[in-house]
Amino acid sequence: MTCSEQTRTLPAVDPQTTDRPGAIPTALALATGTAVLVGAEFVPAGVLPLLADDLHVTEGRAGLAIAATALAGAVTAPTIASVLPRADRRRVLLGLLTLALASNVVVAVAPSLPVLLIGRVLLGVAIAGFWTFTFGVGVEITGRPALISTAMSLGTSLATIIGVPLASVLGDAVGWRAVFAILIAATAASGLALARLLPPVPAHPGAGAAMMRRALGNRRLMVGVAMVSLAAFANFAAYPYIRVALQAVTPSLVTVLLLAWGVGGLLGNLLGGWLSTRLRVGVVAAPTVLFIGLTLMTAHSSALVVTLAVVAWGTGFNMVPVTTQLWVSRAEPNRVEAAVSLQVTAFQTAITLGAIVGGLIVDHRDVWAAMTVGAGLAAVAAVGFAVIRLVPRED
């Protein structure tokens, strides 16, 4: 087998001129799968005070519910393609959704924080694997990279628009465990939809450890991955504690402002897709807007300022996944699966460290200090992306 056969490039198709049969339903099904997984990952942010009170832990420790998921994801993302180098990707995606369903069952009945964290680790494996394979599967089926990246980010945005605010409302009304029971049903429904719509998708011939080693040798890619880590860390040093911050400033508007964050997320998703042909601008703009949002949050001088802050925050952060996913796939076009897995690893590692560091800052200082740290790191990420040249690797 030749080197070119081993590193077969995903289809590079103009998203504006090609419309393969079933492209839109496939993209929507993948977006739904992404939504239920991301919703499960970040629902604890919407019910954090309730969860902490029920399990008799501090809010900072309860934030480990997000950190544990991200840690498992950080370990899984760079290794899962090597563990499953030849497995049909359709079966893999369905298996990962089944694992997410099991995770939500464990969390819903968890009697203590350690048991809950076990369930959250299972979710981390599911999320990392799903994100690693979904982009390649979607592009293989549709030939439209921008469509699939936008669909995945749309799923993320919908999860934050609906999931976190709705989790907050439902958690107050019927308890946080009932929220996870709803996630169980939603995950099962998503799995059934994917089983119906996705055809078999064989693994790429070069998938596995060799592909990853080649991707790791791309210096520009690795610097970009480092900037992804900084942008994600910036967000997740503060995001698990967003409800805590909003309750401190505008307790009567918490649900509305969580929804505003999600609306900003939808806007960020659309902007990220619009900038798919201007990736250097997109990857700089995303952490810049995130910096603005977190900086405004630290002012928390009025309800108006907080509203503008959460919209900018949601917009900036939700631009990051779609723009950086396309950026890494453009930087390493012959090894997209490996490049995306590194992006996922960067995200999940940053979520883990961000949630842990943010929790320590919240417990020992306050939530505003965590947001100040996040704002500074977002600024560094913006500068970093501004100086990196996006040059696709040809070999």
Side-chain angles (χ1 to χ4, degrees):
M1 183 179 292
T2 67
C3 180
S4 62
E5 288 172 329
Q6 290 176 335
T7 57
R8 174 161 55 96
T9 307
L10 291 175
V13 181
D14 184 348
Q16 304 302 320
T17 61
T18 300
D19 188 13
R20 294 185 184 178
I24 299 300
T26 297
L28 291 176
L30 293 173
T32 301
T34 303
V36 296
L37 290 171
V38 173
E41 183 170 16
F42 299 127
V43 153
V47 298
L48 194 67
L50 302 172
L51 189 154
D53 182 65
D54 188 30
L55 298 180
H56 308 293
V57 297
T58 67
E59 290 171 345
R61 289 191 66 201
L64 294 175
I66 294 176
T69 300
L71 178 61
V75 173
T76 301
T79 59
I80 191 168
S82 298
V83 174
L84 302 168
R86 300 292 176 263
D88 180 274
R89 294 328 192 201
R90 174 183 182 272
R91 292 184 179 180
V92 172
L93 292 183
L94 294 176
L96 292 167
L97 282 175
T98 301
L99 185 63
L101 189 150
S103 162
N104 290 329
V105 171
V106 172
V107 172
V109 301
S112 63
L113 182 63
V115 175
L116 182 143
L117 294 180
I118 291 172
R120 299 293 292 176
V121 166
L122 297 178
L123 181 65
V125 174
I127 290 172
F130 198 88
W131 271 90
T132 295
F133 295 125
T134 295
F135 184 75
V137 167
V139 175
E140 186 73 21
I141 295 171
T142 68
R144 299 173 65 176
L147 172 66
I148 297 304
S149 185
T150 301
M152 293 175 68
S153 189
L154 177 62
T156 301
S157 297
L158 289 175
T160 53
I161 291 170
I162 299 173
V164 176
L166 185 60
S168 179
V169 173
L170 289 177
D172 289 340
V174 298
W176 67 271
R177 295 180 190 274
V179 175
F180 280 92
I182 293 170
L183 280 171
I184 293 169
T187 305
S190 175
L192 291 173
L194 283 173
R196 181 177 179 83
L197 290 169
L198 288 186
V201 180
H204 287 273
M211 179 186 283
M212 179 59 70
R213 284 195 298 270
R214 293 292 292 168
L216 288 170
N218 186 335
R219 294 183 180 180
R220 283 194 178 89
L221 173 67
M222 297 312 297
V223 174
V225 167
M227 295 305 105
V228 173
S229 295
L230 287 178
F233 189 106
N235 181 74
F236 289 103
Y239 184 72
Y241 314 102
I242 185 172
R243 180 169 175 172
V244 177
L246 295 177
Q247 283 182 326
V249 180
T250 55
S252 63
L253 297 175
V254 169
T255 301
V256 173
L257 291 173
L258 287 174
L259 180 60
W261 193 96
V263 170
L266 179 59
L267 177 60
N269 173 270
L270 296 174
L271 285 173
W274 181 67
L275 290 170
S276 63
T277 58
R278 306 171 184 84
L279 283 179
R280 190 169 187 184
V281 174
V283 294
V284 173
T288 299
V289 177
L290 175 60
F291 162 77
I292 293 169
L294 289 171
T295 300
L296 286 174
M297 280 295 295
T298 61
H300 61 274
S301 57
S302 68
L304 176 60
V305 171
V306 172
T307 301
L308 293 174
V310 296
V311 171
W313 182 359
T315 300
F317 175 68
N318 282 275
M319 289 175 69
V320 173
V322 63
T323 56
T324 60
Q325 186 176 68
L326 290 169
W327 192 95
V328 299
S329 65
R330 189 80 57 83
E332 190 59 84
N334 294 324
R335 302 169 187 88
V336 171
E337 195 170 272
V340 172
S341 74
L342 290 172
Q343 184 228 20
V344 174
T345 301
F347 255 88
Q348 299 299 331
T349 302
I351 292 170
T352 304
L353 296 177
I356 292 172
V357 172
L360 291 172
I361 294 172
V362 169
D363 282 349
H364 293 89
R365 291 284 301 277
D366 55 41
V367 70
W368 314 115
M371 291 181 181
T372 299
V373 169
L377 292 176
V380 174
V383 173
F385 270 123
V387 300
I388 304 171
R389 291 181 60 211
L390 179 55
V391 180
R393 187 176 183 179
E394 298 296 338
D395 62 317

